[in-house]
Amino acid sequence: MRAAMFSETRSPVLSSLGAVTAPRFQLERSTRRPAWCRSRMDGDGRRASPARGLRLRAAVFLVGACFAISLAAQVPAPGGPPAEPEVEPPEGPPRVTLDLPHGAHPVPPGPVAADWDSIGKFAQTPAWLQDAKLGIFVFWGLFNVPDHGSDWYPRKMYSHEEDAAWHAAHFGAQDKFGYKDFIPKFTAKRYDPAGLADLFARVGAGYVVGLAEFRDGFALYDSQYTTWDAVDMGPRRDLLGELATATRARGMKFGVSYMRMAHWTFMFPRLVRMPHDLFDPAHAEFYGPPQRPKTPVSAAFQEEWLVRLQEIIDKYQPDTLSFDGTLNERALDPLKARAAAYFFNRAAGAGREPALFTMIGEAGPAFPSGGLREFERQGRAPKDLTSDVWQVTDPLMERFGYISGNKTATAGTMVRRLVENTCRNGTFLLVVSPRADGSLPYEQRLTLNAIAGWMDVNGEAIRGTRPWTIPGEGALVLGQGQNYGGRDIRFTRRGDTLYAILMDWPGSEAVVTSLASGATPGTVNRVWLLGHSAPLEFTQDASGLKVKLPEEAPCAHAYTLKIHGLKLQ
């Protein structure tokens, strides 16, 4: 049975009336949930007394009614001008959070305490992550159902005029058909995690990341703390758990992305004259209700965020843990220290090598210590060789979530990004975007299969390698409109074997100027082209290593010279 809920603050609307204070009430179960919301726990026989239920309904109605009265004068008449966003929208009702008398669970016994010195001393970059180089992030959720705009649809349908108008035209007004009403349409009927895992393994991914919860607050896993999840509603499947099982069955590591902190303010409505359902008390457990932007995150919500993360860690035992940028506030550092210590100690107890990723914001990394740097999109990736291992999270489509008509990147683009990150000591987390029914579109499969073909030939230059002393030569950073040329080369190494990856086919001869005679200890004694059966002819002089290439390239996109004889260790 899920934990009880309570309203954590004094209602700003009631306070402004100077009459009554919003009650602190327990919401064990909404009395007005529509039929499609019925939980598998509804038949447990534990029901509140009729009298208590009446008191609860009266209290909830009073809060909602007073807030509705305060907005009534702002609602335009039918056919009036479109609602305009306001710079400072009024506050909404108080946030409803889990009733946790003792807070979240304490940090379990283990090598890590909830302080940054302890966390920093324990955290290490896992060897498996350094070897993997390539991961795949399955990014999808309830936000895919409308198939419009972006994965920020749940926010924009209440806050941006064009998106709000589009929603009303296609589904109905926001007070009649709100975001919650997409849940029955979120079927995942074609979701095949085993098939996806097979594809990801063929691509050469070393780990797969699943989205546990997006900013919209709908959990894709089986939670004891809410019925607004994919097991109790919509698909009625543990989408995260099924992916974890399929991933590990194929020898890959499994990670989790958790974005619930953003739910505190994410869906707050800015079109204040537009009627909506966000402040309806019957749906407070799902919507929040959302708080006005820049409202400090309450202690109660922080505890709820943590206990739900602890549930994910205990149930799915992730190898990696990542978040979005809303966790970067310094005020949340004590909370993050408890989360990191919990994650690391659970992993240590199970013998796992964990990786905690930290987004980089204006105030620095989200986690002051113990986290590996994560960059959203390739354009933010480090341009130089680094001593630390980091991760770039980059979508295969124009946007992270699937939207019909968005372009899908080519295999050549993604292969070269993988190479660019690998040669600089980074990893590449490629984001795939299923439709709302769980199917992965043909265009994305086509690109993934082409990447798999490239990895079949060149994978040894990526997986299990380490960076050389320099990332490459030629154009290390492409300018606007610039394309790779035959002189653009990137380096990786495995022991004393050097891989020189040609970012474009140079023609009959490849010249590696970084391997001029005497520039590197040792002497080149043999050169292969991966995918070509015989060793290649070469010369080495003061201008560089010059390699005669075959007439036909062995693959597409990028081409790897395997070089022996150097002393690289």
Side-chain angles (χ1 to χ4, degrees):
M1 184 176 183
R2 76 173 186 275
M5 316 287 288
F6 72 91
S7 173
E8 61 183 61
T9 60
R10 178 183 172 92
S11 165
V13 176
L14 294 178
S15 298
S16 67
L17 296 177
V20 241
T21 299
R24 295 174 64 85
F25 57 92
Q26 305 260 333
L27 287 180
E28 293 188 23
R29 182 168 286 113
S30 169
T31 57
R32 293 177 54 195
R33 270 184 313 189
W36 51 263
C37 293
R38 289 179 59 85
S39 163
R40 66 188 187 285
M41 298 183 288
D42 284 347
D44 62 6
R46 294 191 287 270
R47 299 180 180 274
S49 67
R52 181 185 178 285
L54 289 173
R55 289 195 299 272
L56 172 60
R57 286 193 293 272
V60 171
F61 176 79
L62 180 61
V63 174
C66 288
F67 188 81
I69 292 171
S70 74
L71 290 181
Q74 304 178 49
V75 178
E84 296 288 341
E86 295 192 1
V87 176
E88 288 294 334
E91 292 185 14
R95 180 82 192 197
V96 174
T97 55
L98 288 172
D99 185 11
L100 301 169
H102 304 292
H105 304 306
V107 174
V112 183
D115 67 73
W116 296 114
D117 285 342
S118 177
I119 292 167
K121 290 176 182 177
F122 173 82
Q124 303 290 328
T125 303
W128 68 260
L129 181 66
Q130 296 182 65
D131 290 341
K133 305 301 183 191
L134 175 64
I136 294 182
F137 183 8
V138 183
F139 187 87
W140 72 312
L142 180 59
F143 52 81
N144 285 119
V145 175
D147 191 16
H148 178 77
S150 73
D151 42 88
W152 279 40
Y153 186 94
R155 174 185 180 130
K156 292 186 175 183
M157 65 174 280
Y158 295 104
S159 295
H160 289 230
E161 288 185 8
E162 291 183 4
D163 295 276
W166 188 92
H167 176 89
H170 288 79
F171 300 105
Q174 279 78 344
D175 60 336
K176 300 296 190 294
F177 191 104
Y179 186 62
K180 69 183 185 308
D181 297 298
F182 285 118
I183 295 176
K185 300 176 181 293
F186 184 36
T187 63
K189 62 184 179 182
R190 297 177 62 192
Y191 179 53
D192 178 16
L196 290 175
D198 284 338
L199 175 58
F200 302 158
R202 289 200 304 274
V203 171
Y207 60 110
V208 174
V209 175
L211 180 61
E213 183 177 328
F214 185 56
R215 298 177 171 204
D216 59 2
F218 189 76
L220 303 186
Y221 62 97
D222 186 12
S223 177
Q224 65 175 314
Y225 296 114
T226 182
T227 55
W228 295 86
D229 64 35
V231 174
D232 290 309
M233 302 180 188
R236 299 192 181 276
R237 296 171 62 180
D238 186 345
L239 305 179
L240 184 70
E242 291 180 26
L243 183 62
T245 299
T247 295
R248 287 178 168 137
R250 287 149 184 82
M252 296 176 287
K253 301 290 186 180
F254 183 74
V256 166
S257 178
Y258 179 60
M259 303 184 182
R260 183 168 178 77
M261 185 57 71
H263 192 247
W264 174 252
T265 61
F266 182 64
M267 292 174 64
F268 188 83
R270 290 184 174 274
L271 300 176
V272 296
R273 295 184 179 88
M274 181 187 72
H276 58 78
D277 64 336
L278 290 174
F279 296 155
D280 186 338
H283 312 305
E285 184 186 338
F286 178 43
Y287 288 145
Q291 302 301 288
R292 187 166 66 178
K294 298 184 180 180
T295 301
V297 182
S298 71
F301 183 76
Q302 291 185 42
E303 295 301 315
E304 176 187 300
W305 176 90
L306 181 56
V307 80
R308 290 173 69 147
L309 174 61
Q310 290 170 336
E311 177 185 38
I312 293 168
I313 292 171
D314 291 341
K315 183 169 290 187
Y316 304 104
Q317 302 181 50
D319 298 291
T320 75
L321 196 57
S322 55
F323 308 89
D324 64 355
T326 53
L327 206 61
N328 283 55
E329 293 182 25
R330 293 277 71 93
L332 299 175
D333 282 356
L335 176 71
K336 289 178 281 187
R338 293 164 61 197
Y342 195 97
F343 174 56
F344 284 138
N345 283 349
R346 285 296 196 219
R352 295 193 307 276
E353 295 181 84
L356 176 69
F357 287 100
T358 176
M359 281 284 187
I360 307 300
E362 293 181 0
F367 290 82
S369 67
L372 305 176
R373 293 187 296 162
E374 180 176 12
F375 302 90
E376 187 177 300
R377 293 188 178 270
Q378 184 66 31
R380 297 187 178 99
K383 304 300 187 290
D384 299 312
L385 176 61
T386 66
S387 59
D388 64 315
V389 176
W390 39 270
Q391 174 177 275
V392 169
T393 303
D394 201 50
L396 191 53
M397 300 188 69
E398 293 176 278
R399 302 185 183 277
F400 277 71
Y402 176 79
I403 300 294
S404 295
N406 273 197
K407 294 180 180 178
T408 300
T410 65
T413 295
M414 290 319 209
V415 160
R416 292 184 179 102
R417 289 178 181 178
L418 170 62
V419 172
E420 293 285 19
N421 294 329
T422 301
C423 73
R424 290 170 169 83
N425 208 23
T427 62
F428 190 48
L429 184 63
L430 190 158
V431 181
V432 299
S433 310
R435 301 184 183 94
D437 65 4
S439 62
L440 194 63
Y442 169 78
E443 294 80 6
Q444 294 184 53
R445 289 182 175 274
L446 192 67
T447 294
L448 290 174
N449 279 313
I451 296 172
W454 185 86
M455 289 288 281
D456 286 343
V457 175
N458 301 276
E460 72 168 88
I462 301 295
R463 291 186 296 259
T465 63
R466 298 294 182 267
W468 192 36
T469 54
I470 56 173
E473 63 183 50
L476 290 178
V477 179
L478 294 183
Q480 186 71 26
Q482 185 179 357
N483 295 317
Y484 289 105
R487 296 277 183 168
D488 299 327
I489 302 172
R490 303 295 180 262
F491 300 115
T492 63
R493 67 172 181 85
R494 184 193 307 274
D496 280 334
T497 298
L498 182 69
Y499 298 97
I501 304 174
L502 314 176
M503 303 298 274
D504 193 21
W505 187 249
S508 60
E509 183 182 67
V511 180
V512 186
T513 59
S514 300
L515 296 182
S517 299
T520 303
T523 302
V524 175
N525 57 32
R526 187 163 293 190
V527 179
W528 286 269
L529 176 67
L530 296 185
H532 184 72
S533 58
L536 304 180
E537 296 179 14
F538 67 92
T539 60
Q540 187 178 20
D541 56 29
S543 61
L545 177 69
K546 300 173 183 178
V547 182
K548 184 179 179 180
L549 299 176
E551 292 184 3
E552 293 187 5
C555 60
H557 317 311
Y559 319 90
T560 305
L561 298 176
K562 181 178 181 180
I563 302 166
H564 279 189
L566 301 172
K567 303 297 183 183
L568 305 178
Q569 303 259 28

